Amino acid sequence: MRIAMIGLGRMGANIARRLMLGKHEVIAFDRNEKAVTDLAGEGAIPAKSLEDIAGKFEGAPRIFWVMLPAGEPTESTIEAIIKLSSPGDIIIDGGNSFYKDDIRRAKLCSIQGLHYVDVGTSGGIWGLERGYCMMIGGEDETVKLLDPIFDTLAPGYGTIVRTEGRHSDDDRAERGYIHAGPAGAGHFVKMVHNGIEYGLMQAYAEGFDILKGKSSEKLPEDERFDINLAEVSEVWRRGSVISSWLLDLTAIGLAKDPELGHFTGKVADSGEGQWTIDAAMEEAVPVYVLSAALFARYRSRVDTTFGDKLLSAMRFGFGGHVEMPQ
Amino acid sequence: MRIAMIGLGRMGANIARRLMLGKHEVIAFDRNEKAVTDLAGEGAIPAKSLEDIAGKFEGAPRIFWVMLPAGEPTESTIEAIIKLSSPGDIIIDGGNSFYKDDIRRAKLCSIQGLHYVDVGTSGGIWGLERGYCMMIGGEDETVKLLDPIFDTLAPGYGTIVRTEGRHSDDDRAERGYIHAGPAGAGHFVKMVHNGIEYGLMQAYAEGFDILKGKSSEKLPEDERFDINLAEVSEVWRRGSVISSWLLDLTAIGLAKDPELGHFTGKVADSGEGQWTIDAAMEEAVPVYVLSAALFARYRSRVDTTFGDKLLSAMRFGFGGHVEMPQ
Amino acid sequence: MRIAMIGLGRMGANIARRLMLGKHEVIAFDRNEKAVTDLAGEGAIPAKSLEDIAGKFEGAPRIFWVMLPAGEPTESTIEAIIKLSSPGDIIIDGGNSFYKDDIRRAKLCSIQGLHYVDVGTSGGIWGLERGYCMMIGGEDETVKLLDPIFDTLAPGYGTIVRTEGRHSDDDRAERGYIHAGPAGAGHFVKMVHNGIEYGLMQAYAEGFDILKGKSSEKLPEDERFDINLAEVSEVWRRGSVISSWLLDLTAIGLAKDPELGHFTGKVADSGEGQWTIDAAMEEAVPVYVLSAALFARYRSRVDTTFGDKLLSAMRFGFGGHVEMPQ
Amino acid sequence: MRIAMIGLGRMGANIARRLMLGKHEVIAFDRNEKAVTDLAGEGAIPAKSLEDIAGKFEGAPRIFWVMLPAGEPTESTIEAIIKLSSPGDIIIDGGNSFYKDDIRRAKLCSIQGLHYVDVGTSGGIWGLERGYCMMIGGEDETVKLLDPIFDTLAPGYGTIVRTEGRHSDDDRAERGYIHAGPAGAGHFVKMVHNGIEYGLMQAYAEGFDILKGKSSEKLPEDERFDINLAEVSEVWRRGSVISSWLLDLTAIGLAKDPELGHFTGKVADSGEGQWTIDAAMEEAVPVYVLSAALFARYRSRVDTTFGDKLLSAMRFGFGGHVEMPQ
């Protein structure tokens, strides 16, 4: 199929490449002209503007895949695309948008006779090679029409063992993508995916912290162990209950440098962790672990908090306690 | 009554003083001779050693109040007292011992015909003036015998409003002390008190953190407030649902310096917070808040954790993410 | 001053009463006619509709105090008042509105030449007697103009000890109310107050759970205590570090029934706990305790969660574990 | 090698079978005679008692693998084996013992000239087929001597992709076992493994809870999704960041019954989750996620908590709030 890729950052460019490998024709656009030229060198059809893209389709419907940062960049680009689209055209938001924005934009598109599809993708920088895991929201018919695109981008069956007891007429999940529901459902499922991701990561982080701390001189001498964390991460990949892809990455990180000396430990969060907690609160679902994982990232980014000082002030108040030596 | 006070640190000396104000006779001992001399100057009977104390009682039973740091200092001192005691003598551990140590020591004392009493005290440096809130473990008869001591140390009725609906033949709680149960029960109740204390403190700390952060430039301009924290802490003392003594102390701290600039925010914890979590786990009681309050203190004392670095390593692994600028 | 009270539920009626006790004139309105008649019997000026209220003021500005549930009831009522107001009139939202709604409504009022004030009140059903702790948002001049109202409603100095080290030209906080900032700031501070309240309550709840569980037969026999919770709550009111008004209420509850047998333990939350977490996330403030306290309420209201079943399914999957007997 | 397997429960019997498949000779013993007879039918050498085992070795050292529940059963059995052993013999604790018990027992063995090895195994009921992931504590020489045993039990290289950047002279981790350190280190690493396992499981549980709750009628109609959880779990296995073995098991469970109707959601915990928190507290490592995961299991097993009732009692106290309808 012919499809326009708008936004040629790391994710957008790789998605375009995987599409071209799958014999799709990609119209490439980015505000950064070099990104366009580079991809044109690999076979893409270069475009100079959103308007220019519109003219490079040969028939209807035109398919616009927007791959930009969530928020203003995506919002304003989609607004512009809506203006230059014709009824029947399809707009795909493949970024990390907030699912309520999808719901709103899908309504707007619907009024204009356009079709809106949201695609949450997981797989990061490995997707070009491994394929992208995709969670898709939109109308049945539109999602079906785009099937060749998703089929190309997804990992496919690969060597992953089939799930025992599984029986479904729809094998898309096994090939690496699902139609999760109407507009917004794709990004909603992806959002929860990221919330879980934070929780998983923090569980490993805390566990390795305990292993690391076991050599501490604060402990009785005969209860100290000097544990080789790289070896532990490696062995846990092999037949243990906690083997996972995140553990594979942990093993890679620790193999390169068991002290992780290149990292400062100031950990960013994208909006999705926060949105996941919001969604949980709207449903009154207790999410102790997912929230704690998010908060650990907040805490990692500051040296101290005002709250910590307040604790010290109270302790001084009732006990005359002076703070710990630094 | 005549009673020996062993350990004349801030707490021990003040307890001795309040006892003397209540017309009790205090035999004072500390390894620091100056502490003994000072208290003798205020009317105490000085003692040069544990053995010396034993000879300064005029009749039986002799009453030893041990007011030393929990762990080895308390343990070895009580062992020494046991050796020089006679059947019927009473040993009081007024420190912050682990309640299982009390249970063990009480058994040991019982075999020797001695009586063991554990007293958890709350009130900190304010106790001399306000009186000490005491939670007591031990045999009925022994605790009754010591009643004049506890009555003197406790705050008494004071001006605190009587609890509506209360009906009890025993007014000790209203005067500020309870006989919580057999040996260990006093320190157990005090331990839980401290666990709760951590939770309360952290709740205030987090709340004030949110108020403080509301002036952040990261927020939309019309959603920023520059809130006077000292005024907030003051007004909450007046008719609000969250008024408390810890809030009173917060107000004092913020009145002196709204920025709490003298504090680094590295917050110590005594063993009792940890023991409270242990007790909860033994009973399979979920203690999300009490544990989180303890962990916040751990976190306050380090600049970063290995776990945080591991998060960064994983994020680099799957997304090529580089850490936040510092 | 003459002021209209719109909404005569438990809170609104009592605020009206306290105002009348303070010699203010209250125009009373509620959709429930009986509530109006009742309050008229106590001296209020009855009104039959919002329009009717407008005519019962003798001069300008008219002052409308809206005391209705947050959300639609407050929103639609304020919209209606805006329509029948004249420039200079003052609209007070005394309910539990979301502070961003205040910011929005204040802008709307400003365009019409009206003044919007938000008042967060704490004190619950005790306010009539104890006075209301108030956190106020709005323009300086308007808040000043309303001072006689706030002065009457607030607790006043009372017998509360003055905060050591306090020096402020403004004694309003000491009388029980503060001008926290522009519109929205009042409800924002009140919102955080409620967030803290949840945290404090959960800290006590967990602590008493541990005390209660200490009699469990799962524990070794010599480590079990049968602790009198009513006595513990009473003694902690007396000189302990964790004395508070919430503890006073706990003592009342336990004095009436140490088993709390009238309660099922299904605990509601108003929106404010959730909004507090939202605010914290917007500021990237870690709020482990405040969030855990909210989640404990969510969890209290369901018998089981799908997540719990999923844990069991996983355990069955890797270990063949069958669930615990019920 | 010839090795005695003491304890032929699900784990012990399968370990014995995998050893026999690897051409080792297994002396089999269990208090349940049928278990012994069954395994003898598969080629094991049956033993009637611990004493009987001792006589069935042909040379030194004798190797005893104890595979019993942690605590008393393991303790008393190892005591009995020590009594009938000769210097040089090896005792392996392959169960889930607390690592401090290992340290203690290893000292005891050392005094008698015996060698103690602790083996933490992960892999559950899948181990017979997939191989066991093993974390081993003990003396270098003893662990080396047992290498043929561990090599047989471990998964081996299999098809798992090699860790990029890994360089180690020791390939044992890649074959599925590590020598983690001196006695106790094996069970310590396994304990942390289980702590992490709880955290990972709870992260998935909370995430799926949010997906499940998204169809709730409490939500605005256009924000509800009816998400197929089985399809989501399947697609996340394919190229997503959160793919893992636990997710594979989740997919199996949901494929069989998307409602998980066979499960009540009362989730047990073995001691290891609790020990992990203890270890973290000894090191002052904040473990918000691992502890919350443990507490969620505690909470899953009770209908309500006394603490929840106390919250209701306080709410009634300050606000006259009546509990939610059930």
Side-chain angles (χ1 to χ4, degrees):
Chain A
M1 300 177 86
R2 183 164 288 196
I3 182 169
M5 183 62 51
I6 296 141
L8 304 174
R10 192 162 40 195
M11 286 294 285
N14 279 348
I15 287 176
R17 285 186 185 105
R18 192 166 168 102
L19 285 171
M20 292 191 290
L21 286 171
K23 308 295 176 201
H24 297 283
E25 298 165 325
V26 173
I27 306 167
F29 174 66
D30 194 290
R31 289 199 304 190
N32 172 356
E33 287 180 28
K34 186 174 178 307
V36 177
T37 317
D38 285 356
L39 212 65
E42 302 179 37
I45 303 160
K48 292 182 178 161
S49 65
L50 292 177
E51 292 71 22
D52 191 25
I53 291 171
K56 296 213 186 283
F57 281 99
E58 289 169 342
R62 288 176 288 193
I63 305 170
F64 302 86
W65 182 301
V66 180
M67 202 67 195
L68 292 167
E72 200 281 323
T74 295
E75 184 76 17
S76 60
T77 301
I78 290 178
E79 276 173 17
I81 295 172
I82 287 176
K83 280 183 195 149
L84 55 81
S85 292
S86 308
D89 285 352
I90 298 170
I91 301 174
I92 301 166
D93 180 358
N96 282 322
S97 288
F98 184 43
Y99 76 96
K100 292 188 184 179
D101 288 333
D102 294 313
I103 295 173
R104 178 176 48 76
R105 290 197 287 243
K107 280 181 195 160
L108 200 66
C109 282
S110 176
I111 292 166
Q112 317 267 340
L114 306 174
H115 306 287
Y116 185 93
V117 173
D118 53 290
V119 181
T121 63
S122 181
I125 52 177
W126 298 68
L128 173 55
E129 181 190 335
R130 299 205 321 169
Y132 297 93
C133 174
M134 286 169 293
M135 295 137 266
I136 304 161
E139 307 142 324
D140 272 3
E141 211 165 320
T142 312
V143 174
K144 246 175 232 162
L145 188 148
L146 295 168
D147 198 70
I149 299 292
F150 299 131
D151 185 56
T152 296
L153 290 176
Y157 284 102
T159 57
I160 292 171
V161 177
R162 194 155 200 241
T163 294
E164 181 197 322
R166 179 174 167 84
H167 41 83
S168 170
D169 295 338
D170 185 348
D171 78 337
R172 289 181 291 181
E174 290 178 277
R175 285 185 288 118
Y177 60 108
I178 57 168
H179 180 197
H187 278 143
F188 184 80
V189 174
K190 173 56 171 34
M191 176 196 82
V192 174
H193 163 283
N194 281 33
I196 293 172
E197 177 189 303
Y198 284 26
L200 301 180
M201 289 171 73
Q202 186 63 22
Y204 287 116
E206 291 180 4
F208 278 93
D209 242 2
I210 298 172
L211 293 178
K212 180 83 175 172
K214 193 58 182 167
S215 61
S216 166
E217 296 191 357
K218 287 181 292 188
L219 299 174
E221 200 166 348
D222 65 348
E223 294 184 5
R224 283 180 223 156
F225 302 129
D226 192 13
I227 297 165
N228 185 322
L229 303 190
E231 294 299 286
V232 169
S233 65
E234 184 61 41
V235 82
W236 283 348
R237 300 178 65 223
R238 314 263 168 185
S240 97
V241 171
I242 64 173
S243 62
S244 71
W245 192 53
L246 285 164
L247 183 65
D248 294 347
L249 298 175
T250 297
I252 293 173
L254 290 170
K256 286 182 184 157
D257 175 8
E259 294 299 325
L260 302 176
H262 292 312
F263 298 100
T264 62
K266 294 190 185 293
V267 190
D269 67 284
S270 65
E272 287 159 313
Q274 177 179 344
W275 299 335
T276 302
I277 309 307
D278 273 330
M281 293 195 296
E282 289 180 0
E283 302 173 10
V285 167
V287 284
Y288 296 101
V289 159
L290 304 193
S291 57
L294 179 62
F295 300 156
R297 294 188 176 197
Y298 293 164
R299 185 61 185 83
S300 79
R301 291 171 347 219
V302 293
D303 289 333
T304 188
T305 70
F306 186 75
D308 288 340
K309 293 184 181 186
L310 194 65
L311 295 179
S312 286
M314 284 190 239
R315 294 186 82 241
F316 180 77
F318 65 72
H321 299 293
V322 174
E323 285 179 314
M324 305 199 72
Q326 301 188 58
Chain B
M1 301 180 85
R2 184 165 288 198
I3 183 170
M5 183 63 50
I6 295 139
L8 304 175
R10 194 162 38 193
M11 286 294 286
N14 279 348
I15 287 176
R17 286 187 184 103
R18 194 168 166 100
L19 285 171
M20 291 191 290
L21 285 171
K23 309 295 176 203
H24 297 283
E25 298 165 326
V26 173
I27 305 166
F29 175 67
D30 196 288
R31 289 200 304 191
N32 171 356
E33 288 180 27
K34 186 172 179 308
V36 178
T37 317
D38 285 356
L39 212 66
E42 302 178 37
I45 303 161
K48 293 184 177 157
S49 65
L50 292 177
E51 291 72 20
D52 190 25
I53 291 172
K56 296 213 186 282
F57 280 97
E58 290 169 340
R62 288 176 289 194
I63 306 170
F64 302 86
W65 182 300
V66 179
M67 202 65 195
L68 292 168
E72 199 281 324
T74 295
E75 185 76 19
S76 61
T77 301
I78 289 179
E79 276 173 16
I81 295 173
I82 288 176
K83 280 185 193 146
L84 55 80
S85 292
S86 307
D89 285 352
I90 299 170
I91 300 173
I92 301 167
D93 179 359
N96 282 320
S97 288
F98 184 43
Y99 76 97
K100 293 189 185 179
D101 287 333
D102 294 314
I103 294 173
R104 178 176 47 76
R105 292 198 287 242
K107 280 182 195 159
L108 200 65
C109 281
S110 175
I111 292 166
Q112 317 266 340
L114 306 173
H115 305 288
Y116 185 92
V117 173
D118 54 292
V119 181
T121 64
S122 181
I125 53 175
W126 298 67
L128 174 56
E129 181 189 333
R130 301 204 322 170
Y132 296 93
C133 174
M134 286 168 294
M135 296 137 266
I136 304 161
E139 307 142 326
D140 273 1
E141 212 166 321
T142 313
V143 174
K144 247 176 231 162
L145 187 149
L146 295 169
D147 197 70
I149 298 291
F150 298 132
D151 185 55
T152 295
L153 290 176
Y157 283 103
T159 58
I160 291 171
V161 177
R162 193 156 201 240
T163 294
E164 182 198 323
R166 178 174 168 83
H167 40 85
S168 170
D169 296 337
D170 183 349
D171 77 337
R172 288 180 290 181
E174 288 178 278
R175 287 186 285 118
Y177 59 107
I178 57 168
H179 181 197
H187 278 142
F188 183 80
V189 174
K190 173 57 170 40
M191 176 196 83
V192 174
H193 164 283
N194 281 34
I196 293 172
E197 177 189 303
Y198 283 27
L200 301 179
M201 290 171 72
Q202 185 65 20
Y204 287 116
E206 291 179 5
F208 278 93
D209 241 3
I210 298 172
L211 293 178
K212 181 83 175 171
K214 193 59 183 169
S215 62
S216 165
E217 296 191 356
K218 286 179 295 188
L219 300 174
E221 200 166 347
D222 65 349
E223 295 184 4
R224 283 180 223 155
F225 302 130
D226 192 11
I227 296 165
N228 185 322
L229 303 189
E231 294 299 285
V232 169
S233 65
E234 185 60 41
V235 82
W236 284 348
R237 298 179 64 223
R238 315 265 169 184
S240 97
V241 171
I242 64 173
S243 63
S244 71
W245 192 53
L246 284 165
L247 184 64
D248 294 347
L249 298 174
T250 297
I252 293 173
L254 290 169
K256 286 183 184 156
D257 176 9
E259 294 299 325
L260 302 177
H262 292 312
F263 298 100
T264 61
K266 295 189 184 292
V267 191
D269 66 286
S270 64
E272 287 160 315
Q274 177 179 345
W275 298 336
T276 302
I277 308 308
D278 274 329
M281 293 196 296
E282 288 180 1
E283 302 173 12
V285 167
V287 285
Y288 296 101
V289 159
L290 304 193
S291 58
L294 178 64
F295 299 156
R297 295 189 175 197
Y298 294 164
R299 186 61 184 81
S300 79
R301 294 174 342 222
V302 293
D303 289 333
T304 188
T305 69
F306 187 75
D308 289 340
K309 293 184 182 185
L310 193 65
L311 295 178
S312 286
M314 284 190 238
R315 293 186 83 242
F316 180 78
F318 63 73
H321 298 293
V322 174
E323 286 179 314
M324 305 198 70
Q326 299 190 56
Chain C
M1 300 180 86
R2 183 165 288 196
I3 183 170
M5 183 63 50
I6 296 139
L8 303 175
R10 195 162 37 194
M11 286 294 287
N14 279 348
I15 287 175
R17 286 187 185 103
R18 193 166 167 101
L19 284 171
M20 293 191 290
L21 285 171
K23 308 298 177 200
H24 297 283
E25 298 166 324
V26 173
I27 306 166
F29 175 67
D30 195 290
R31 289 199 305 190
N32 172 357
E33 289 180 25
K34 188 175 177 308
V36 178
T37 317
D38 285 357
L39 212 65
E42 301 179 36
I45 303 162
K48 292 184 176 156
S49 65
L50 292 177
E51 291 71 22
D52 191 24
I53 291 171
K56 296 213 187 282
F57 280 98
E58 290 169 341
R62 289 176 288 194
I63 306 170
F64 301 86
W65 182 301
V66 180
M67 202 66 196
L68 292 167
E72 200 282 323
T74 294
E75 184 76 17
S76 62
T77 302
I78 290 178
E79 276 173 16
I81 295 173
I82 288 175
K83 281 183 193 148
L84 55 81
S85 292
S86 307
D89 286 353
I90 298 170
I91 300 173
I92 301 167
D93 179 0
N96 282 320
S97 288
F98 183 43
Y99 76 96
K100 292 189 184 180
D101 288 332
D102 294 314
I103 295 173
R104 178 177 47 76
R105 292 198 287 243
K107 280 182 194 160
L108 201 65
C109 282
S110 176
I111 292 167
Q112 317 266 340
L114 306 173
H115 305 288
Y116 185 93
V117 173
D118 54 291
V119 181
T121 64
S122 180
I125 53 176
W126 298 67
L128 174 55
E129 180 189 334
R130 301 204 321 169
Y132 297 93
C133 174
M134 285 169 293
M135 295 137 265
I136 304 161
E139 307 142 326
D140 273 3
E141 212 165 321
T142 312
V143 174
K144 248 175 230 164
L145 188 148
L146 295 169
D147 197 70
I149 298 292
F150 299 132
D151 185 55
T152 296
L153 289 176
Y157 284 103
T159 57
I160 291 171
V161 178
R162 195 159 198 238
T163 294
E164 181 197 324
R166 179 174 167 82
H167 40 85
S168 171
D169 296 337
D170 184 350
D171 77 338
R172 290 181 290 182
E174 290 178 278
R175 286 185 287 119
Y177 60 107
I178 57 168
H179 181 197
H187 278 142
F188 183 80
V189 174
K190 172 57 169 38
M191 176 196 83
V192 174
H193 164 283
N194 281 34
I196 294 173
E197 177 189 304
Y198 284 27
L200 301 180
M201 290 171 72
Q202 185 64 21
Y204 287 117
E206 291 179 5
F208 278 93
D209 242 3
I210 299 172
L211 293 178
K212 180 83 175 172
K214 193 59 183 168
S215 61
S216 165
E217 296 192 357
K218 286 179 295 187
L219 299 174
E221 201 167 346
D222 64 349
E223 294 185 5
R224 283 179 223 156
F225 301 129
D226 192 12
I227 296 166
N228 185 321
L229 303 190
E231 293 300 285
V232 169
S233 65
E234 184 61 41
V235 82
W236 284 349
R237 298 179 65 222
R238 316 262 168 187
S240 96
V241 171
I242 63 173
S243 62
S244 71
W245 192 54
L246 284 165
L247 183 65
D248 294 348
L249 298 173
T250 297
I252 293 172
L254 290 170
K256 287 183 182 154
D257 176 8
E259 293 299 324
L260 302 177
H262 293 312
F263 298 100
T264 61
K266 294 188 184 294
V267 191
D269 66 285
S270 65
E272 287 159 314
Q274 176 178 345
W275 299 335
T276 302
I277 308 308
D278 273 330
M281 293 196 295
E282 287 180 2
E283 302 173 12
V285 166
V287 283
Y288 296 101
V289 159
L290 304 192
S291 58
L294 178 63
F295 299 156
R297 295 188 175 197
Y298 294 163
R299 186 61 184 82
S300 79
R301 293 174 343 223
V302 293
D303 289 333
T304 188
T305 70
F306 186 75
D308 289 339
K309 294 184 181 185
L310 194 65
L311 295 179
S312 286
M314 283 190 239
R315 293 185 83 241
F316 180 78
F318 64 72
H321 298 292
V322 175
E323 285 179 315
M324 305 198 71
Q326 300 191 58
Chain D
M1 300 178 86
R2 183 165 288 198
I3 182 169
M5 182 63 50
I6 296 141
L8 304 175
R10 194 161 39 193
M11 285 294 286
N14 279 347
I15 288 176
R17 285 185 185 105
R18 193 167 168 99
L19 285 171
M20 293 191 291
L21 286 171
K23 308 296 176 201
H24 296 283
E25 298 165 325
V26 174
I27 306 167
F29 174 67
D30 194 289
R31 289 200 303 191
N32 172 355
E33 287 181 29
K34 185 173 178 310
V36 178
T37 316
D38 286 356
L39 212 66
E42 302 179 37
I45 303 161
K48 292 182 178 159
S49 65
L50 292 177
E51 290 72 20
D52 190 25
I53 291 171
K56 297 211 185 285
F57 280 98
E58 289 169 340
R62 287 175 290 192
I63 305 170
F64 302 86
W65 182 302
V66 180
M67 202 66 195
L68 292 168
E72 200 280 324
T74 295
E75 185 76 18
S76 61
T77 302
I78 290 179
E79 275 173 17
I81 295 173
I82 288 177
K83 280 185 194 147
L84 55 81
S85 293
S86 308
D89 285 352
I90 298 170
I91 300 174
I92 301 166
D93 179 359
N96 281 321
S97 288
F98 184 43
Y99 76 95
K100 293 188 184 180
D101 287 332
D102 294 314
I103 294 174
R104 178 176 48 76
R105 290 196 287 243
K107 280 182 195 161
L108 200 66
C109 283
S110 176
I111 292 166
Q112 315 267 342
L114 306 173
H115 306 287
Y116 185 94
V117 173
D118 54 291
V119 180
T121 64
S122 181
I125 53 177
W126 298 67
L128 173 55
E129 181 190 333
R130 299 204 325 169
Y132 296 93
C133 175
M134 286 169 293
M135 296 137 266
I136 304 161
E139 307 143 324
D140 272 3
E141 211 165 321
T142 313
V143 174
K144 245 174 234 163
L145 187 149
L146 295 169
D147 198 70
I149 298 292
F150 299 132
D151 185 55
T152 296
L153 290 176
Y157 283 103
T159 58
I160 292 170
V161 177
R162 194 158 199 239
T163 293
E164 181 198 322
R166 179 175 167 82
H167 40 84
S168 171
D169 296 338
D170 184 350
D171 76 338
R172 289 180 291 181
E174 289 178 278
R175 286 185 286 119
Y177 60 107
I178 56 167
H179 180 197
H187 278 142
F188 183 81
V189 174
K190 172 56 168 38
M191 175 196 83
V192 174
H193 164 282
N194 281 34
I196 293 173
E197 177 189 303
Y198 284 26
L200 301 180
M201 289 171 73
Q202 185 64 21
Y204 287 116
E206 291 180 4
F208 277 93
D209 242 2
I210 298 172
L211 294 177
K212 180 85 176 171
K214 193 59 182 166
S215 61
S216 165
E217 296 191 356
K218 289 180 294 188
L219 299 174
E221 199 165 348
D222 66 348
E223 293 184 5
R224 283 180 223 155
F225 301 129
D226 192 14
I227 297 165
N228 185 322
L229 304 189
E231 294 299 285
V232 169
S233 64
E234 184 62 40
V235 82
W236 284 349
R237 299 178 65 221
R238 315 263 168 185
S240 97
V241 172
I242 63 173
S243 63
S244 71
W245 193 53
L246 284 164
L247 183 65
D248 294 347
L249 298 175
T250 297
I252 293 172
L254 290 170
K256 286 182 184 156
D257 175 8
E259 295 299 325
L260 302 177
H262 293 312
F263 298 100
T264 62
K266 294 188 184 294
V267 190
D269 67 284
S270 64
E272 287 159 313
Q274 176 179 345
W275 299 336
T276 302
I277 309 306
D278 273 329
M281 293 196 296
E282 289 181 359
E283 302 173 12
V285 167
V287 283
Y288 296 100
V289 159
L290 304 192
S291 58
L294 178 63
F295 299 156
R297 295 188 175 197
Y298 294 164
R299 186 62 184 81
S300 78
R301 290 172 346 220
V302 293
D303 289 332
T304 188
T305 70
F306 186 75
D308 289 339
K309 294 184 181 185
L310 194 65
L311 296 179
S312 285
M314 284 191 239
R315 294 186 83 241
F316 180 77
F318 65 73
H321 298 293
V322 175
E323 285 179 313
M324 305 200 71
Q326 302 189 57

